[in-house]
Amino acid sequence: MNAAHRLALVAIICVVYAALAGAQPYTTPGTGVDWTMDDLAAAAGFTVQGAGGAYAIHDLVTIAVNDRLTIAPGTTLTFAAGAAVGLDVNGALEARGTAAQPIVFQGADPTPGSWRGLDHGDTGPGSAFVLEHCEVAHAVDAVDAFGADIELRNCDLHDTLGKVIDISAADGLVSGCHLHDNRQRTITLTLTSSPTIEDCVFERNNLDNSSPYPYINIGLQGTNSPTIRGNEIHGDGNFMSGGIALWNLSNALIEDNLIEGCGYGILCYQTGANPVILGNEIRDNTIHPDTLNWGFGVACNGNNSPILMGNRISGHWYGVAAINGGRPNLGDLVNDFPGDDGGNAIEQNGLGGQVYGFYNNTPLAQIAQGNWWGTDNPEDAIYHQVDDPSLGLVDYDFFVTAVDAPAPSASLLGGLSAYPNPFNPRVEIAFDLARGSLASLIVLDVRGRLVRELLAADLAPGHHVIAWDGADRQGRPVPSGTYFARIVAGHEATTGRLTLVR
């Protein structure tokens, strides 16, 4: 390299260092402007540099209340290393990529935790946080929402150090996302957060494997009642990972998920963790070496009473466990409520030669009617007072025999939706039938009690829409709150959350 080239290189290095030295936090003025990345690059000086779809961010950028940042498909934002470097959205963010042109948020240093991540925390008019077909990588916390709803669709979230998605005092939607290769926590909900998490894939998470982090962690403060539907949760050998944990006060709906290869499937803990657990495949969650406290399909540990209906629970040391006052409802065919009729297939669960389909490790009587236990003699699969006089008796009447054991879904029922939702006072509930069938539609409250029967009839195949006027069986308006629409057709059922706001 000759002297002229050396001088040119030194000049370039000096310019770069000067630019970085000039970087400082930048906040938009909050004047109701819709910003683009080119606008930010022009206004933020050395803090945001780039053009034409590729930008470097060297410090914290804040989108102020009243302002909006719109990011075009195919854009890449690369964040310099630093604990304070990130994007803080107090107004609105619209980052809608496409499958062919995703939007990328990444660290200049491709190491988990190299930059802060994306934050959202405003509920004012025009507030929004939308990521669609986006990739978020290398952050401390990929998406952190406090007090403001978020919407994530078809996003790729990976190589996060702390929390992939942290939602506090907020709701929203996480749909069709892939959460993988993250170091510690995946989704955490607290301070009364009830988003919908659906059709996502969780794999190769909690790679540090140093703390017991469930893939979806619900609690500890407030009543957190999310809808968790149609997801796949794969443990992938990181034995400190549970599937879903509910730590306190929850009326969550957990439906049609696959949970496999974790340290446990679903844990209901402390007081009032009372989800409705419907139609899930929960299998082989025994990767933790502790055979006393882990390795269960569903555990009810504390003053909790979840409803389990239509689940397949297999390959565990303990299929379902009741501990410390837990009272799971595994099926009650005596009452007149159709939302707790059992129909679970609980088989091939056991440890050390003892079968534990249902381990009632409490002195309380339990109810578990209308289930298939992998044997025509349920006594062989249920551990209770008959096996240990200090334990409560399990009522397993009306059990299912091998001849009529539950069969896999034939995909008769689909397309459940509700509009508007939230609603006041009328909502339309829509669903599809692949073929003609006897169908019923009921509305339940958060405690599983029948509010209204809307439909009980033979229906033709096709699209059906049934309206509910927000009234109970006596025609009285019901109060604001969360309700569930449950449709049963043939041997299939599905449930959707309704929010009434008066």
Side-chain angles (χ1 to χ4, degrees), residues 81 106-115 137-140 158-161 183:
Q106 64 182 6
D109 175 4
T111 302
S114 68
W115 63 290
H138 317 128
V140 176
H158 62 93
D159 290 287
T160 303
L161 177 61
R183 302 305 310 182

Side-chain angles (χ1 to χ4, degrees), residues 58-116:
H58 298 294
D59 211 316
L60 177 64
V61 174
T62 300
I63 308 303
V65 175
N66 299 321
D67 287 348
R68 176 181 299 269
L69 173 61
T70 301
I71 303 177
T75 299
T76 296
L77 287 74
T78 302
F79 294 80
V85 179
L87 181 61
D88 196 347
V89 180
N90 290 329
L93 172 65
E94 292 275 349
R96 297 184 187 272
T98 66
Q101 291 185 295
I103 296 170
V104 178
F105 302 85
Q106 64 182 6
D109 175 4
T111 302
S114 68
W115 63 290
R116 174 176 163 178

Side-chain angles (χ1 to χ4, degrees), residues 140-144 152 157-167 174 178-189 197 201-207 212-217 232-234 238 241-245:
V140 176
D141 297 329
V143 176
D144 189 347
L152 277 68
L157 307 158
H158 62 93
D159 290 287
T160 303
L161 177 61
K163 302 172 184 176
V164 183
I165 300 174
D166 186 19
I167 303 178
V174 180
H178 188 194
L179 299 87
H180 63 100
D181 297 291
N182 297 291
R183 302 305 310 182
Q184 297 174 13
R185 305 171 191 246
T186 47
I187 295 183
T188 300
L189 312 175
I197 303 168
V201 176
F202 300 75
E203 56 185 346
R204 300 187 303 278
N205 294 298
N206 195 15
L207 296 179
Y213 294 139
Y215 285 156
I216 301 178
N217 198 18
E232 295 183 17
I233 298 176
H234 306 281
N238 303 306
S241 303
I244 300 172

Side-chain angles (χ1 to χ4, degrees), residues 259-296:
I259 307 172
E260 66 172 0
C262 299
Y264 60 79
I266 298 174
L267 170 63
C268 303
Y269 196 67
Q270 292 189 4
T271 300
N274 298 328
V276 178
I277 303 172
L278 297 173
N280 301 278
E281 179 83 18
I282 306 171
R283 66 192 186 204
D284 302 322
N285 295 288
T286 55
I287 64 173
H288 198 287
D290 181 351
T291 60
L292 179 62
N293 299 300
W294 295 66
F296 49 82

